[in-house]
Amino acid sequence: MKVFVFGGGGDVGEYILKKLAAENHEAVTVAETENRAEELRMMGAANVIVATDHKFVEAMKGCEAVIYVAGANPTAGENKNVLVDKDAVTSAMTEARKQGIERVIYLSPARMDESDESQQTGDKKIPEELIKLDTFTYTIVSASRGVDKPGKGVVSAGNFNREKNAEIPYEDVAAVLVESLSNEATYNKTFELAPGDTPIDEALQKIIKTR
């Protein structure tokens, strides 16, 4: 599957590129400089478009799915204010619709352990609602705080009472997003992702409740 990764240069994004390549998907992303583009190619991206703004139309051509890491700059992968990200999400989804892309995986900038008030700050949740109202087959994931530690390949997925201070490796978050591409148990579902002891494919099959 040809997959456009929005935020492929970020902490989670880099692992997404590696995982897509390992599973024989064709990963496409964008970078701000040619040097960074080459680094992303070495990580597994099949195609990296060099761009300095949100004009990523060329990168999305021919893609069958989008994995969107919210809160990330699509060119550099660096964190940006979520108010800016809301506009970027809208632009990306509009272009995805024009390109005939049906599958969207969205990693929310709102962590699962944030309070309701915090999750509403900066309109973090608005893009999720826009995606749900569109025609996409979506999967929306809200994860625990990500950390740069080796992935374990085991998680908890579903809807939880917000566990404070839980940490999950970026690698495991990326693995869940990639696994969700073709896992029908995640279609049109919103779920929370936390550290756990269940293998990823099994954890996703257990998702039965949609928020």
Side-chain angles (χ1 to χ4, degrees):
M1 183 183 295
K2 187 175 182 180
V3 183
F4 176 61
V5 182
F6 190 108
D11 293 319
V12 175
E14 291 182 356
Y15 282 111
I16 291 173
L17 297 179
K18 294 175 183 177
K19 186 68 174 176
L20 287 170
E23 298 195 2
N24 297 315
H25 293 294
E26 183 180 353
V28 181
T29 192
V30 293
E32 192 170 40
T33 66
E34 185 55 49
N35 285 342
R36 184 56 174 154
E38 184 56 33
E39 291 175 350
L40 297 181
R41 293 185 190 104
M42 292 177 66
M43 290 177 189
N47 188 19
V48 183
I49 305 298
V50 177
T52 56
D53 53 28
H54 290 167
K55 295 180 181 178
F56 39 78
V57 175
E58 182 181 352
M60 297 181 78
K61 287 182 178 178
C63 289
E64 301 163 79
V66 171
I67 297 179
Y68 194 111
V69 181
N73 176 341
T75 56
E78 298 173 357
N79 288 336
K80 297 187 72 176
N81 189 297
V82 291
L83 289 170
V84 176
D85 187 73
K86 180 178 67 173
D87 294 333
V89 173
T90 301
S91 297
M93 295 303 108
T94 298
E95 186 56 39
R97 196 183 314 108
K98 289 180 180 177
Q99 298 280 352
I101 296 172
E102 298 181 356
R103 187 75 176 107
V104 173
I105 315 292
Y106 182 81
L107 178 62
S108 175
R111 293 203 319 269
M112 59 165 282
D113 59 350
E114 287 186 63
S115 66
D116 289 334
E117 181 180 2
S118 177
Q119 289 194 1
Q120 296 302 326
T121 300
D123 296 331
K124 294 177 186 177
K125 304 293 283 187
I126 288 179
E128 299 178 21
E129 299 308 315
L130 294 176
I131 291 171
K132 289 179 183 179
L133 291 171
D134 214 311
T135 59
F136 302 113
T137 299
Y138 67 84
T139 299
I140 297 172
V141 181
S142 179
S144 299
R145 186 169 73 89
V147 292
D148 193 12
K149 295 180 179 180
K152 300 179 180 180
V154 290
V155 299
S156 293
N159 292 300
F160 313 105
N161 292 323
R162 291 172 181 153
E163 181 181 354
K164 296 293 184 181
N165 303 318
E167 297 180 339
I168 187 168
Y170 296 129
E171 186 174 5
D172 285 337
V173 176
V176 166
L177 300 180
V178 173
E179 173 67 23
S180 294
L181 278 171
S182 56
N183 190 320
E184 294 186 6
T186 70
Y187 287 10
N188 297 323
K189 298 288 178 65
T190 297
F191 63 89
E192 295 171 343
L193 180 65
D197 55 12
T198 305
I200 289 172
D201 57 347
E202 183 179 338
L204 295 184
Q205 290 297 330
K206 292 181 178 180
I207 297 172
I208 58 174
K209 185 177 180 181
T210 303
R211 286 197 319 188

